[in-house]
Amino acid sequence: MAGIPVITVDGPSGAGKGTVSHMLADALGWHFLDSGALYRVVGQACLIEGVSWDDHPAVAAIARHLQVSFSAAPSGEILVAYKGRDVSREIRTEEGGRGASTVAAIPAVREALLVRQREFLQAPGLVADGRDMGTVVFPAAPLKIFLTASALERAERRYKQLIEKGENVSLPRLLEDIRERDARDSSREVSPLVPAEDAIVIDSTATPIGDVFAQVMQKVREKGLIKA
Ligand code: DC
């Protein structure tokens, strides 16, 4: 796989990683890895198979044999299937997020997903979205972005999204969930959520996503990943 470029985009949930990563992959015509979706599918697969998220050996076995597939709907939306069953909607719920964060703290699960994530590195290039893309999965990436925003800003963004979907949610509850998930993701022993030493840290709290994208594209040019 040497020679195929990868751009890593890490950070906490709600910082805008997904949006910026998609925009980047589209602009460059590169592949896209949504690593969070893999952890979410493991959590969902446990629910489907009747495995408790706390049963580490059983969760790890699910991760090792995970039958997951990604496809694009005519609308452009990415559909995610487990054993051929569409789980796109379930994995994006608050419970889906909790399951992902819980199973992601299990070392054997992370190890099982490592190989699978590296398989996404294919020509002409890859944009990899996650928590440990720059630190663990693709440590040699020529460009590493760490995108962050305040917990309140991230909770408010999530609140707006869920209200638009017609869901009944409370902002204080979402803020509490985000803080809990940040604490779990940042304090776990394996692959905690931290910027790589050579990552460029961008705070999107008060910056529109279009401006964040422009900053990242500037770095892409400076690194010579596309012609200036
Ligand atoms: O990016 P996301 O919100 O879909 O991620 C869901 C959870 O999965 C998140 O709480 C942490 C975990 N995760 C991880 O540990 N490592 C990754 N590379 C991606 C996600």
Side-chain angles (χ1 to χ4, degrees):
M1 291 298 160
I4 302 174
V6 52
I7 298 173
T8 59
V9 185
D10 289 305
S13 47
K17 286 179 304 172
T19 309
V20 169
S21 306
H22 273 295
M23 289 168 87
L24 257 181
D26 277 353
L28 300 172
W30 288 9
H31 297 280
F32 176 66
L33 165 62
D34 176 0
S35 61
L38 290 175
Y39 289 97
R40 286 174 184 266
V41 174
V42 173
Q44 190 63 33
C46 291
L47 296 180
I48 292 171
E49 307 293 353
V51 164
S52 158
W53 294 333
D54 297 325
D55 183 349
H56 293 192
V59 181
I62 285 193
R64 272 193 290 275
H65 305 290
L66 196 68
Q67 290 176 41
V68 61
S69 56
F70 295 87
S71 60
S75 64
E77 186 197 350
I78 304 287
L79 300 177
V80 186
Y82 169 67
K83 286 188 176 169
R85 162 177 166 178
D86 184 3
V87 292
S88 317
R89 201 196 253 281
E90 292 97 310
I91 64 168
R92 300 289 165 205
T93 60
E94 291 307 294
E95 191 191 25
R98 263 194 303 281
S101 176
T102 308
V103 302
I106 305 172
V109 169
R110 304 203 71 86
E111 203 183 308
L113 294 188
L114 193 57
V115 181
R116 208 167 266 249
Q117 293 173 92
R118 289 185 177 149
E119 286 169 1
F120 280 77
L121 183 52
Q122 293 188 14
L126 176 70
V127 178
D129 164 343
R131 302 292 188 291
D132 60 343
M133 298 295 101
T135 47
V136 176
V137 183
F138 300 108
L143 177 58
K144 300 178 184 177
I145 305 294
F146 191 88
L147 192 55
T148 185
S150 73
L152 180 59
E153 172 69 21
R154 289 184 285 126
E156 283 175 349
R157 287 178 192 170
R158 183 82 184 131
Y159 180 76
K160 274 190 209 140
Q161 274 175 357
L162 293 173
I163 292 291
E164 273 166 23
K165 279 196 211 163
E167 287 186 35
N168 186 12
V169 281
S170 113
L171 182 60
R173 176 73 211 277
L174 280 178
L175 182 57
E176 198 184 306
D177 272 4
I178 282 198
R179 290 202 166 119
E180 260 176 34
R181 201 179 316 167
D182 281 358
R184 202 162 42 229
D185 293 346
S186 309
S187 66
R188 65 173 175 236
E189 280 178 23
V190 238
S191 304
L193 172 64
V194 285
E197 271 179 23
D198 49 350
I200 294 160
V201 179
I202 301 178
D203 188 325
S204 76
T205 306
T207 311
I209 216 70
D211 293 1
V212 172
F213 175 64
Q215 283 181 40
V216 176
M217 281 305 284
Q218 181 59 30
K219 298 292 170 195
V220 170
R221 282 185 215 97
E222 284 170 20
K223 291 277 178 187
L225 293 171
I226 51 169
K227 290 190 183 74

